[in-house]
Amino acid sequence: MTHKLHIVGGGMAGSEAAWQAANMGVQVVLHEMRPQVKTFAHRTGNFGEMVCSNSFRSDDHEQNAVGLLHWEMMQAGSLIMTTAHQHRLPAGGALAVDRDPFARSVTDALTSHDNIQISFEEIDTLPDEGNWIFATGPLTSENLGKAIQAETGADRLAFFDAIAPIVYAESIDMNVAWLQSRYDKGETEEEQKAYINCPMNKAQYEAFIDALLAADKTEFHEGETATYFDGCLPIEVMAERGRETLRHGPMKPVGLTNPHNPEEKAYAVVQLRRDNSLGTLYNIVGFQTKMKYGAQTAVFKMIPGLQDASFARLGGIHRNTFLNSPTLLDAQMRLRSKPNIRFAGQVTGVEGYVESAAMGLLAGRMAAAEILGKPLETVPQDTAHGALVHHITGGAEAKTFQPMNVNFGLFRPLENSGIKGGRRGRKDRYKAYTDRAKADWTAWLEGQA
Ligand SMILES: Cc1cc2nc3c(=O)[nH]c(=O)nc-3n(C[C@H](O)[C@H](O)[C@H](O)COP(=O)(O)OP(=O)(O)OC[C@H]3O[C@@H](n4cnc5c(N)ncnc54)[C@H](O)[C@@H]3O)c2cc1C
């Protein structure tokens, strides 16, 4: 074996990628800039450092998409997941860990692996030669960020996310809401009905603005700049600028007619736009926010039509370096313009420790298999890993692409299952999703044995 695999970044994704590739027999060089070059969030020079919460979220692999990702990672011999279970702390159904011993164990496992060489240095170019995985995370160093932008174009690498809440389509009350694009714009019926509209009368609007202004907000982390970009102001900041601002911005009621009540003109309208090609997820347009999660749920359920909404993810605004992956990466996570380079982890537009490690697991296996001359079959789309990688490399709307957590809205619906729709069938449906995923993931792994 002569070809080395270079992995840049020893966080969740890079650590997992290195472990997977090294276990497949490939020589890995893991490049990490810490501790010499610091980020505002990391405290140590350890690999796999958890920068904030100590939780890998739900461990329920039958009813929760993150729990399913845990399960799939365990089946694939994941370093991050195995080590997390070794350092587990009591936390109900969540997988919380003792963070420092966890990161030290990850570091020991990587540094003592015969096939892994460690190099403490910052990489600030995208090399033309060799096999590379860049897993440099939300705080990718500035120099490397510039090099990525030079390759991809400045508008394809973002330095902040501006996440609007995402709602499961099935939980929107279509007896209140309706499908229509403003002024019925679009050539096809699908385009003319591209948005879901939720109407508000004056009293509902005023109560909504009061709730926005009163809601608890999160602060930026120390070291994060608090400057907002024009065009992605948090809704509560817009509301602070004037009670009518939202009604003249994302909630303007023009060009829309409510078929449930055509005579009454809405005072304001909240619009939701399709967020994935499956049509199972909708984002609330222009509703990026720094409200606390509990407050968001309460405030957004005040919107008529969303009173029973289930949220696939809540909104947020963070310092976060991420690619426009749907346009830049192929299904093997390679940069289309430079296929010797893969990206993995949060920089690909997934969100969270588990999702980042999972994308590292895939990228590590894909790169190693390619080096070994046995390229991997496409990851089955109905697994948690497959649903996520499919979303970021093609399923997501490229124009409005924002980081994504794993959730059942990314899964293809079950064909002819006979399971009830809506809330009533949810438990059975989730179990059927996870059963289907487990069977497909097991078969995919066995195909590589
Ligand atoms: C302030 C903050 C708080 C967060 N809180 C949470 C949370 O509570 N829960 C959660 O699930 N997620 C949280 N996240 C997201 C979290 O960062 C990711 O979930 C996860 O750490 C991403 O894994 P990763 O491997 O992609 O990136 P990271 O874990 O950040 O790893 C990237 C690594 O690359 C290194 N690196 C960067 N540039 C270079 C370079 N040019 N050369 C060499 N090395 C480089 C970095 O030093 C780092 O070690 C938070 C993010 C931030 C910024």
Side-chain angles (χ1 to χ4, degrees), residues 285-315:
V285 180
F287 270 38
Q288 53 278 353
T289 178
K290 281 196 78 75
M291 280 189 286
K292 289 194 171 157
Y293 282 175
Q296 286 190 41
T297 313
V299 172
F300 296 139
K301 285 190 173 195
M302 292 172 73
I303 299 170
L306 301 190
Q307 63 279 1
D308 297 320
S310 297
F311 293 90
R313 71 157 306 154
L314 289 163

Side-chain angles (χ1 to χ4, degrees), residues 180-191:
Q180 187 186 9
S181 300
R182 232 180 261 289
Y183 300 110
D184 301 308
K185 274 193 187 150
E187 301 280 303
T188 62
E189 192 184 350
E190 196 183 16
E191 284 172 3

Side-chain angles (χ1 to χ4, degrees), residues 207-269:
F208 182 72
I209 298 295
D210 287 339
L212 273 183
L213 295 174
D216 277 349
K217 323 284 184 325
T218 55
E219 298 300 323
F220 277 104
H221 284 267
E222 203 184 330
E224 271 182 306
T225 158
T227 317
Y228 294 118
F229 295 106
D230 272 357
C232 62
L233 284 178
I235 42 165
E236 61 276 9
V237 173
M238 281 190 255
E240 278 162 15
R241 290 187 174 181
R243 295 184 69 88
E244 290 290 291
T245 308
L246 280 168
R247 224 168 71 74
H248 295 284
M251 293 174 72
K252 59 178 178 282
V254 301
L256 298 165
T257 306
N258 181 353
H260 307 300
N261 192 1
E263 301 308 318
E264 193 180 310
K265 184 94 189 110
Y267 190 72
V269 174

Side-chain angles (χ1 to χ4, degrees), residues 360-387:
L361 186 153
L362 288 185
R365 284 190 170 230
M366 286 170 176
E370 196 176 292
I371 290 170
L372 296 167
K374 294 183 283 186
L376 283 195
E377 281 183 29
T378 308
V379 190
Q381 194 181 337
D382 296 327
T383 62
H385 282 80

